[in-house]
Amino acid sequence: GSRPPVLGTRESTTSSHTTPPPPPPKVDGFTRKSVRKAQRQKRSQGSSQFRSQCSQPELHPLPQLKDATSNEQQELFCQKLQQCCILFDFMDSVSDLKSKEIKRATLNELVEYVSTNRGVIVESAYSDIVKMISANIFRTLPPSDNPDFDPEEDEPTLEASWPHIQLVYEFFLRFLESPDFQPSIAKRYIDQKFVQQLLELFDSEDPRERDFLKTVLHRIYGKFLGLRAFIRKQINNIFLRFIYETEHFNGVAELLEILGSIINGFALPLKAEHKQFLMKVLIPMHTAKGLALFHAQLAYCVVQFLEKDTTLTEPVIRGLLKFWPKTCSQKEVMFLGEIEEILDVIEPTQFKKIEEPLFKQISKCVSSSHFQVAERALYFWNNEYILSLIEENIDKILPIMFGSLYKISKEHWNPTIVALVYNVLKTLMEMNGKLFDDLTSSYKAERQREKKKELEREELWKKLEELKLKKALEKQNSAYNMHSILSNTNDG
Amino acid sequence: MNPCPYFFLLGKGHGGSFRLLSPSVFWSSDLQLRKRGPGGGPHLLCRYSVPGLRLPPSSGLSPAYQGAGRGQGAGRGQGAQRAAVTRRRRKNMAGAAGPATGSGAAGGDGDDSLYPIAVLIDELRNEDVQLRLNSIKKLSTIALALGVERTRTELLPFLTDTIYDEDEVLLALAEQLGNFTGLVGGPDFAHCLLPPLESLATVEETVVRDKAVESLRQISQEHTPVALEAHFVPLVKRLASGDWFTSRTSACGLFSVCYPRASIAVKGEIRQYFRSLCSDDTPMVRRAAASKLGEFAKVLELDSVKSEIVPLFTNLASDEQDSVRLLAVEACVSIAQLLSQDDIEALVMPTLRQAAEDKSWRVRYMVADKFSELQKAVGPKITLNDLIPAFQNLLKDCEAEVRAAAAHKVKELCENLPMEGRETMIMNQILPYIKCPEVRLNIISNLDCVNEVIGIRQLSQSLLPAIVELAEDAKWRVRLAIIEYMPLLAGQLGVEFFDEKLNSLCMAWLVDHVYAIREAATNNLMKLVQKFGTEWAQNTIVPKVLVMANDPNYLHRMTTLFCINALSEACGQEITTKQMLPIVLKMAGDQVANVRFNVAKSLQKIGPILDTNALQEEVKPVLQKLGQDEDMDVKYFAQEAISAVAQRLRKLDFPVKDSEEPSAPGADKNHFLRPRGPGEDTGKAQRDRVARVASKEAAETAQFRGPGTAKGPAYQLHVNTRDTLPQLDTAEIVLFLPKHRLISRI
């Protein structure tokens, strides 16, 4: 589904509720931008579930749990859970104030109750507990307020019903972490469908909610062995949809963070499923537009994989090279950062396998006219381990790097880069002076040969055009001949 | 499952025979060859390694590579002929020093002409993506040069084997192959194109895959029914049972093109495959299937539609993922078109009703978005009973997106209602539900159409609050949108209603804080005058505009000038001379230079409307005074205006023919008449920008210094930037300097 066009504004509907005081009159009669910005309310949104404004039943406070006798407590606990299933419209900030307050107090009490008392999570309560949680947190997320929401620039839209939802998440966590909690009973309620809905909530624009979800999902993954494969598969699907279909999902960073810790615990040898996840999901994820938002977590996951199984190094690096950013310098810097992280843990044998394509790319980065890219690439030479790897393979690497280093030492616009390049050249020279001298003396000839090749290529393209023309001409001629033969026979 | 993606693209064992190399061999041989030496060396060797094309001697290759490569080809029956060709080629090439110099080496038998082709194919493996891309884009040339047979036996296997590349290149390849049928020898050989396209249809990148499917669909039409069953259908089946989701997704788009021409038995199989994809456990595949459901239904027999498609539709429409459900709504249109009224009621409507009330707004949005199509597909009776109530709900949906989508459909919905009872239905069942501003803006944009159906009076009552609200919206683009509807509204509502309700809005926009709004408001006034006539202008607009000439804010004073520029022509000579001109002349004494040079510009603009007397007696002296101004911009524009006015005076005194017109620059007669485009006066934009920056700073410094000094510091900060670059730099600096330094500097 493509994004629906938004002509009207949501603010215009909400601002009718509370009219801000008019700004003080000014000399020029124009409101200033800062003033206008302040007029815009703190944005928040509801949960898209109040379709018809049917009036909510008013809540009546129940007696406190701590005042009830232990016999009544269980009964009262369930009553309170049921009471908390009733939802309120927080977009309307004046409706049901009393009932909202009662629900808030009750939720607080429930959180307190399950975290301080032992033996209160009995088998019969599970159903009500999960029902209360589902009723509150599972909802269709509303359309984004800002269709071109840029998570880096724009303020996120916050969930309006947070005062209640936060407590429900709080309660959910205490429930999961309680020593009385028994996954074997809970799995009847916390099933695949439940997890599926939970995962969809990760698209919430509200970072507070995503943070809770992250912890919740992590606990569920830890406690429900039967759901693990399912959770991984669904995350897989979310990521694939994100990469290839929508390019939009707010919770990528959080999901990756969870995966980071999951990967850490993978048993060796890695299953094919996990390798496939790395190569077909995590690596293509580098192509996403908003990479900056989750790159740290993504790179962490990738490095975790490589620490588990070093033989994955070659395909991973080749994958990164395939998706190397062509126009986005910011992303290029991120890629270089990730490459350095990988090189930090690479085995020398693996390094040998990828040194050639990798250093061809690094050589391109070093000569980037964007100085941040060039600088980031040149910083590799400050890394002791990378230096040792380069030194071991100097015969291969120096010829690849030499051309661009030599060139930019002469013509890069940025003095810092030129200074860095001189240092790098010096380091390389110390590693193999003889090869360095050879390359220096053959540099010019090499350039000329390249130029000649370029010319030859142009020549070839020209020839090709001629060839095409010739073919077309031949075709025409043969058609003409056919025609004349035919007409001749007709004449005869 | 092979973990490595490079191998994935190659490694799908389809057919098997042309998968000659294991991918690892492919890679290692490639790298080895590149390592051979610097310069031209590796490329030449690479060329030899092109498995399909053994043009030069095969020295640089491992025997295994060669043997495996072509042994298969011989097995396919064209061996003898090809061997002969190769022998001949080798003989020729043996005489030459080698391919690097070989381009000049004689031939005469035409083989030499293939040399560029060899290099082109070599370039398909160049390190530089751009070069590979260039080469791929010339693929048809390569094929043409090779001839149909060698294209089939050598080029296509080569392409199939080497499909691992950047998506950009693959996209170009997928596109090229769709038009390749002629180049492989016509429809009889179209199936030769399937292997490379099959690989492309399994690629991860959606764009590439979609293009491959598009090309496959194109090629399927060129297959004979026999070839279709022998080659195309098996391909669809392979894709449909592929183990990675990409191939199954691609398969979804191919069912409908091969179904109509398949035999009954095969048809059954095809339906079976489609059914299983509809319940695939990957949502991506279900989405692809759902999006092709309607298309597939259309080529099916009616019985199968009822017995098979409808259950699939029902399932997809209740999928756990809303992204799948919403696609089912689309399919609903096609399915309903195929069924009788009774069947629609029994088989489709329950699902559609459910979709209109779906808990996900995306699904409801889809229903709203497809409403007209649905209305047509289900017919008038069901529309009345079911769709109208559903539409009412969509119009008051809790999400603005859904409401807006529904509002877009109001017009078509009304048009498609049966004539009988149309008006009452609209009045009673649709209008009362139109409440929110988003909806109203959309209705306003369709006002003329709605007006054709019902009277404007009733509508205007319910629209007015919306118009007022939108006119003051916080987003200037919304305000701009509503301004643009003003002339339309004015035309529909009539002058009385307009004066009463909307006039004040139009005047308020003239002092908007966004320039674009002030500009649009100015143009709006001109259009209104054109509509309502000069008398109306004289009574209602002009006085209000002229009052602004005394505003303490110089931007408002300039707005007066802009309005006069826009209105003078529409208002005619009398009003311009009697009412506007005195104000303009008075403003020539303004303390802000920006106002003064705009006075000069205005005088130049309204000059053609004035009579000679006024020009001579009133305009000229003022311009001459401005010509002596201390500010160089004012001087410049005054000079320009003076020469234009002088030119006009001369012309009025001694009418001359066009051909005798002096063509001195600056004295061009067009100077008067031709309105200047934004790009023509390059100095203007810069000046305006600087002026705005300067005035903003001025306003802020004014506040900073306290109310006592607030008046009139703007002109102190006015920056001259005409034409000279250093001065422009000053203007740029203004943006970055801190305030106190700015003041001392300028």
Side-chain angles (χ1 to χ4, degrees):
Chain A
S2 57
R3 282 236 127 254
V6 190
L7 239 183
T9 57
R10 299 177 61 80
E11 285 99 284
S12 64
T13 46
T14 49
S15 63
S16 58
H17 293 302
T18 52
T19 40
K26 285 206 307 150
V27 196
D28 60 358
F30 293 101
T31 51
R32 269 185 305 138
K33 201 169 180 191
S34 55
V35 180
R36 288 200 307 281
K37 268 209 161 160
Q39 273 177 31
R40 289 174 57 147
Q41 306 183 319
K42 194 160 177 63
R43 292 179 311 161
S44 63
Q45 56 188 190
S47 53
S48 188
Q49 55 188 344
F50 294 95
R51 302 227 35 216
S52 49
Q53 301 296 324
C54 55
S55 58
Q56 301 292 341
E58 204 174 308
L59 293 192
H60 299 287
L62 295 165
Q64 293 273 307
L65 278 165
K66 62 175 189 283
D67 300 337
T69 64
S70 53
N71 295 351
E72 296 163 345
Q73 244 178 4
Q74 204 50 47
E75 170 76 23
L76 189 59
F77 180 51
C78 286
Q79 272 178 8
K80 291 201 173 220
L81 284 170
Q82 278 155 15
Q83 194 176 47
C84 287
C85 286
I86 295 169
L87 304 180
F88 297 97
D89 183 3
F90 274 82
M91 292 308 281
D92 186 350
S93 53
V94 288
S95 70
D96 307 311
L97 281 179
K98 202 170 137 232
S99 298
K100 281 178 187 166
E101 177 52 31
I102 291 169
K103 178 167 169 182
R104 200 192 57 79
T106 312
L107 282 168
N108 260 328
E109 196 190 349
L110 290 175
V111 172
E112 164 99 19
Y113 184 66
V114 293
S115 43
T116 51
N117 295 308
R118 288 295 309 267
V120 294
I121 301 173
V122 295
E123 190 168 344
S124 60
Y126 279 82
S127 155
D128 282 322
I129 290 173
V130 176
K131 209 182 281 169
M132 190 278 280
I133 292 166
S134 309
N136 278 284
I137 63 170
F138 292 155
R139 64 209 192 276
T140 309
L141 295 170
S144 174
D145 206 13
N146 178 356
D148 356 272
F149 176 66
D150 176 359
E152 282 178 272
E153 288 275 324
D154 300 335
E155 284 288 305
T157 312
L158 300 178
E159 171 60 45
S161 54
W162 190 243
H164 284 175
I165 290 198
Q166 177 183 17
L167 293 170
V168 175
Y169 277 116
E170 194 81 48
F171 175 77
F172 193 6
L173 269 182
R174 299 289 166 88
F175 168 62
L176 287 171
E177 287 165 356
S178 162
D180 295 338
F181 178 74
Q182 289 181 328
S184 55
I185 302 171
K187 73 179 181 195
R188 269 178 258 159
Y189 309 102
I190 297 181
D191 52 5
Q192 295 195 347
K193 190 157 184 283
F194 185 94
V195 170
Q196 175 74 45
Q197 286 171 288
L198 199 67
L199 282 167
E200 274 166 29
L201 289 176
F202 275 83
D203 196 19
S204 168
E205 237 176 74
D206 195 330
R208 303 168 300 181
E209 177 165 23
R210 294 202 305 271
D211 207 50
F212 265 113
L213 284 165
K214 186 175 72 188
T215 324
V216 164
L217 187 66
H218 193 252
R219 298 286 180 276
I220 293 179
Y221 190 88
K223 293 192 191 258
F224 296 82
L225 299 184
L227 287 171
R228 287 185 177 181
F230 180 79
I231 292 174
R232 287 197 307 267
K233 200 166 110 195
Q234 294 309 316
I235 293 180
N236 226 317
N237 286 339
I238 289 175
F239 284 173
L240 287 169
R241 186 180 65 185
F242 169 72
I243 302 167
Y244 295 114
E245 292 182 8
T246 59
E247 281 222 326
H248 178 91
F249 192 82
N250 291 316
V252 174
E254 283 81 3
L255 289 177
L256 282 170
E257 216 170 301
I258 298 170
L259 282 167
S261 71
I262 293 177
I263 295 165
N264 215 342
F266 281 162
L268 287 173
L270 288 177
K271 284 190 209 161
E273 174 212 328
H274 300 325
K275 291 186 189 172
Q276 177 181 307
F277 176 70
L278 170 67
M279 295 315 302
K280 293 199 178 172
V281 181
L282 291 186
I283 297 297
M285 211 153 185
H286 287 81
T287 59
K289 206 165 50 185
L291 179 66
L293 291 167
F294 53 81
H295 181 253
Q297 290 85 347
L298 181 58
Y300 178 79
C301 287
V302 171
V303 173
Q304 288 288 308
F305 264 113
L306 298 187
E307 291 204 71
K308 285 262 160 194
D309 183 351
T310 53
T311 60
L312 291 167
T313 313
E314 185 186 355
V316 162
I317 289 191
R318 284 193 188 277
L320 289 177
L321 293 176
K322 180 182 175 189
F323 294 127
W324 201 272
K326 299 258 183 322
T327 53
C328 182
S329 316
Q330 190 204 4
K331 269 170 90 169
E332 223 174 334
V333 172
M334 288 186 253
F335 270 58
L336 284 166
E338 186 167 347
I339 291 284
E340 183 164 2
E341 280 182 54
I342 293 173
L343 290 179
D344 267 333
V345 299
I346 202 169
E347 279 188 4
T349 48
Q350 297 297 324
F351 182 78
K352 281 195 168 56
K353 289 185 187 165
I354 45 82
E355 57 184 358
E356 189 169 329
L358 178 63
F359 274 84
K360 275 181 183 158
Q361 182 58 57
I362 292 174
S363 148
K364 274 186 214 161
C365 292
V366 160
S367 54
S368 167
S369 57
H370 195 297
F371 80 97
Q372 285 176 338
V373 176
E375 191 180 46
R376 187 67 192 82
L378 289 166
Y379 279 163
F380 282 15
W381 273 263
N382 293 347
N383 183 315
E384 288 295 327
Y385 184 59
I386 297 181
L387 267 186
S388 73
L389 288 169
I390 293 178
E391 183 152 23
E392 266 171 54
N393 301 280
I394 187 70
D395 298 350
K396 296 268 173 50
I397 291 170
L398 188 52
I400 299 172
M401 293 299 301
F402 185 80
S404 48
L405 286 175
Y406 190 82
K407 207 172 109 207
I408 46 172
S409 72
K410 300 245 180 291
E411 44 189 64
H412 203 281
W413 62 272
N414 186 306
T416 319
I417 298 299
V418 175
L420 280 171
V421 165
Y422 273 117
N423 282 336
V424 168
L425 279 173
K426 201 167 138 247
T427 319
L428 291 173
M429 191 166 65
E430 281 160 9
M431 287 177 183
N432 188 341
K434 166 106 184 32
L435 180 59
F436 193 90
D437 291 344
D438 290 350
L439 287 167
T440 318
S441 54
S442 65
Y443 177 76
K444 262 196 184 146
E446 195 70 27
R447 283 293 86 79
Q448 267 164 358
R449 205 175 310 166
E450 264 173 35
K451 261 188 198 151
K452 200 173 148 226
K453 236 164 72 188
E454 198 57 41
L455 278 177
E456 272 174 24
R457 173 171 292 127
E458 263 172 45
E459 196 62 21
L460 282 166
W461 282 104
K462 249 185 238 159
K463 277 204 176 144
L464 193 71
E465 287 303 311
E466 283 164 21
L467 198 67
K468 206 173 169 187
L469 278 177
K470 219 167 79 188
K471 282 269 165 181
L473 214 67
E474 272 169 24
K475 217 175 177 181
Q476 218 175 12
N477 281 344
S478 65
Y480 174 77
N481 288 341
M482 281 295 280
H483 182 75
S484 54
I485 289 165
L486 279 177
S487 55
N488 283 346
T489 47
N490 281 352
D491 288 345
Chain B
M1 169 60 66
N2 197 328
C4 174
Y6 316 97
F7 308 162
F8 165 70
L9 296 174
L10 299 160
K12 277 265 148 77
H14 36 45
S17 64
F18 41 77
R19 286 268 343 106
L20 306 172
L21 290 170
S22 87
S24 51
V25 173
F26 172 77
W27 267 107
S28 58
S29 64
D30 193 29
L31 291 175
Q32 264 170 16
L33 289 167
R34 289 236 174 97
K35 274 184 251 161
R36 291 274 164 136
H43 282 284
L44 294 174
L45 290 168
C46 274
R47 176 161 76 253
Y48 301 164
S49 76
V50 171
L53 285 159
R54 291 178 297 159
L55 298 177
S58 53
S59 53
L61 280 177
S62 67
Y65 193 84
Q66 276 286 312
R70 285 306 110 198
Q72 294 281 348
R76 275 190 251 159
Q78 293 114 354
Q81 203 183 349
R82 283 200 25 259
V85 171
T86 317
R87 238 174 286 131
R88 191 157 51 88
R89 289 203 52 78
R90 282 191 187 161
K91 219 169 111 196
N92 286 332
M93 297 311 279
T101 55
S103 59
D109 65 346
D111 267 344
D112 170 49
S113 65
L114 283 181
Y115 175 71
I117 300 296
V119 181
L120 254 192
I121 293 173
D122 181 19
E123 297 230 309
L124 286 176
R125 325 181 79 182
N126 197 298
E127 272 173 52
D128 187 340
V129 191
Q130 192 53 49
L131 293 177
R132 291 202 299 272
L133 199 56
N134 290 344
S135 195
I136 279 281
K137 284 184 174 161
K138 291 280 174 186
L139 207 56
S140 55
T141 312
I142 299 178
L144 201 64
L146 285 175
V148 292
E149 199 195 311
R150 296 188 67 193
T151 301
R152 285 200 300 272
T153 55
E154 297 176 23
L155 183 63
L156 287 179
F158 164 68
L159 290 173
T160 313
D161 274 349
T162 50
I163 291 177
Y164 158 69
D165 206 328
E166 306 237 358
D167 296 323
E168 194 75 23
V169 178
L170 297 184
L171 176 67
L173 179 60
E175 191 169 8
Q176 291 269 318
L177 290 177
N179 301 312
F180 241 56
T181 309
L183 296 167
V184 293
D188 289 345
F189 297 97
H191 61 85
C192 298
L193 298 170
L194 298 182
L197 282 172
E198 181 173 352
S199 299
L200 289 170
T202 60
V203 164
E204 252 92 2
E205 178 52 52
T206 325
V207 189
V208 176
R209 234 184 311 137
D210 287 351
K211 190 53 91 181
V213 170
E214 199 184 310
S215 290
L216 278 171
R217 286 167 72 112
Q218 209 170 323
I219 287 171
S220 74
Q221 303 304 324
E222 285 153 355
H223 278 67
T224 59
V226 178
L228 196 77
E229 279 197 21
H231 301 285
F232 198 86
V233 174
L235 171 142
V236 177
K237 288 186 198 163
R238 276 196 303 275
L239 286 176
S241 46
D243 47 9
W244 187 240
F245 81 96
T246 51
S247 76
R248 303 200 298 276
T249 311
S250 295
C252 292
L254 298 174
F255 289 104
S256 64
V257 290
C258 57
Y259 188 83
R261 291 197 289 150
S263 64
I264 300 214
V266 175
K267 277 183 173 178
E269 279 186 87
I270 294 176
R271 289 199 304 271
Q272 176 57 43
Y273 272 99
F274 191 80
R275 269 207 303 278
S276 65
L277 291 183
C278 283
S279 51
D280 199 280
D281 67 30
T282 318
M284 279 78 75
V285 178
R286 290 203 304 277
R287 277 196 285 277
S291 68
K292 300 295 177 193
L293 185 65
E295 179 189 285
F296 189 54
K298 281 185 191 160
V299 299
L300 250 59
E301 298 75 14
L302 186 60
D303 281 348
S304 311
V305 172
K306 280 198 242 178
S307 63
E308 293 184 32
I309 294 292
V310 169
L312 292 178
F313 164 69
T314 317
N315 273 341
L316 289 170
S318 52
D319 196 277
E320 61 190 11
Q321 303 243 334
D322 60 357
S323 52
V324 179
R325 295 201 298 274
L326 67 89
L327 291 167
V329 174
E330 238 177 328
C332 185
V333 176
S334 311
I335 295 171
Q337 280 168 349
L338 303 169
L339 300 175
S340 68
Q341 283 285 311
D342 290 346
D343 285 337
I344 294 177
E345 182 61 57
L347 301 174
V348 178
M349 284 319 289
T351 310
L352 185 57
R353 274 180 218 126
Q354 187 191 314
E357 308 224 304
D358 198 282
K359 68 181 192 311
S360 163
W361 63 272
R362 291 186 185 85
V363 179
R364 302 196 302 273
Y365 173 85
M366 204 59 170
V367 175
D369 196 49
K370 298 281 163 210
F371 210 84
S372 308
E373 288 92 329
L374 288 168
Q375 189 187 4
K376 281 181 205 146
V378 301
K381 197 170 144 247
I382 296 180
T383 300
L384 287 191
N385 295 339
D386 270 290
L387 289 195
I388 296 287
F391 193 72
Q392 290 169 353
N393 281 331
L394 293 173
L395 279 174
K396 58 180 183 188
D397 197 276
C398 62
E399 294 302 344
E401 275 76 2
V402 180
R403 294 195 299 269
H408 272 296
K409 302 292 163 185
V410 169
K411 177 192 158 197
E412 276 179 78
L413 174 86
C414 295
E415 277 173 357
N416 293 337
L417 289 172
M419 281 308 279
E420 194 186 333
R422 181 191 278 185
E423 195 179 322
T424 45
M425 201 183 302
I426 294 172
M427 290 311 298
N428 299 334
Q429 305 217 29
I430 294 176
L431 264 190
Y433 293 91
I434 299 172
K435 287 221 172 68
C436 79
E438 290 90 341
V439 179
R440 284 158 195 230
L441 189 62
N442 284 319
I443 295 196
I444 292 165
S445 66
N446 283 322
L447 194 66
D448 43 351
C449 315
V450 181
N451 194 18
E452 283 164 21
V453 193
I454 53 169
I456 191 76
R457 279 279 152 195
Q458 275 156 318
L459 198 59
S460 61
Q461 288 310 321
S462 64
L463 281 185
L464 192 66
I467 294 172
V468 175
E469 201 176 313
L470 294 171
E472 289 159 1
D473 198 282
K475 291 199 174 112
W476 68 269
R477 285 183 195 282
V478 176
R479 297 200 296 277
L480 191 63
I482 195 82
I483 291 178
E484 271 154 20
Y485 294 128
M486 270 299 140
L488 174 72
L489 279 170
Q492 299 285 336
L493 297 168
V495 64
E496 263 173 59
F497 185 87
F498 185 86
D499 277 346
E500 196 180 315
K501 313 275 186 193
L502 301 179
N503 197 3
S504 55
L505 285 180
C506 291
M507 301 314 291
W509 284 319
L510 288 176
V511 293
D512 199 281
H513 51 79
V514 175
Y515 178 74
I517 299 295
R518 298 200 295 276
E519 192 185 28
T522 313
N523 288 331
N524 174 43
L525 285 190
M526 184 180 71
K527 288 182 193 149
L528 291 174
V529 173
Q530 282 165 355
K531 239 176 197 126
F532 293 150
T534 50
E535 201 181 320
W536 177 79
Q538 194 174 3
N539 294 333
T540 49
I541 300 286
V542 176
K544 289 186 190 167
V545 168
L546 297 183
V547 163
M548 275 165 45
N550 300 320
D551 200 285
N553 185 323
Y554 84 100
L555 290 170
H556 293 188
R557 300 200 292 278
M558 294 217 298
T559 306
T560 302
L561 291 171
F562 297 144
C563 286
I564 289 174
N565 293 349
L567 292 175
S568 58
E569 203 170 325
C571 287
Q573 197 183 56
E574 201 189 320
I575 298 178
T576 307
T577 316
K578 292 217 171 115
Q579 299 192 16
M580 296 177 178
L581 184 59
I583 300 292
V584 178
L585 296 174
K586 205 182 109 201
M587 289 167 85
D590 201 287
Q591 57 183 345
V592 177
N594 298 45
V595 177
R596 294 201 301 281
F597 74 65
N598 272 299
V599 166
K601 283 163 99 178
S602 285
L603 288 174
Q604 183 176 343
K605 177 93 181 40
I606 64 175
I609 300 155
L610 303 172
D611 61 25
T612 336
N613 240 354
L615 277 180
Q616 190 71 43
E617 309 276 305
E618 299 180 69
V619 174
K620 222 170 147 189
V622 170
L623 281 177
Q624 271 159 357
K625 190 172 154 248
L626 288 175
Q628 308 299 315
D629 201 279
E630 60 186 10
D631 184 280
M632 61 191 288
D633 278 333
V634 179
K635 256 193 264 183
Y636 172 83
F637 284 107
Q639 302 294 359
E640 265 205 342
I642 288 170
S643 63
V645 166
Q647 173 67 23
R648 179 166 157 76
L649 285 172
R650 252 204 314 282
K651 209 169 125 190
L652 290 172
D653 289 345
F654 319 99
V656 281
K657 280 182 199 158
D658 274 3
S659 55
E660 295 164 45
E661 197 89 354
S663 58
D668 181 11
K669 70 175 167 108
N670 288 335
H671 223 103
F672 264 137
L673 305 171
R674 189 178 50 138
R676 288 195 156 196
E680 272 177 275
D681 186 355
T682 48
K684 177 180 177 286
Q686 288 159 1
R687 254 189 300 283
D688 282 355
R689 193 185 60 201
V690 175
R692 247 178 283 162
V693 170
S695 69
K696 192 178 147 209
E697 296 288 336
E700 278 166 15
T701 39
Q703 286 208 331
F704 174 72
R705 289 201 227 140
T709 50
K711 267 183 194 167
Y715 80 98
Q716 292 170 356
L717 284 164
H718 167 65
V719 190
N720 281 317
T721 56
R722 187 187 321 113
D723 306 331
T724 47
L725 204 62
Q727 278 165 329
L728 187 66
D729 288 342
T730 319
E732 302 288 357
I733 292 163
V734 167
L735 289 164
F736 301 107
L737 281 177
K739 245 173 270 168
H740 53 96
R741 281 179 55 202
L742 176 79
I743 292 164
S744 64
R745 196 189 156 92
I746 297 171

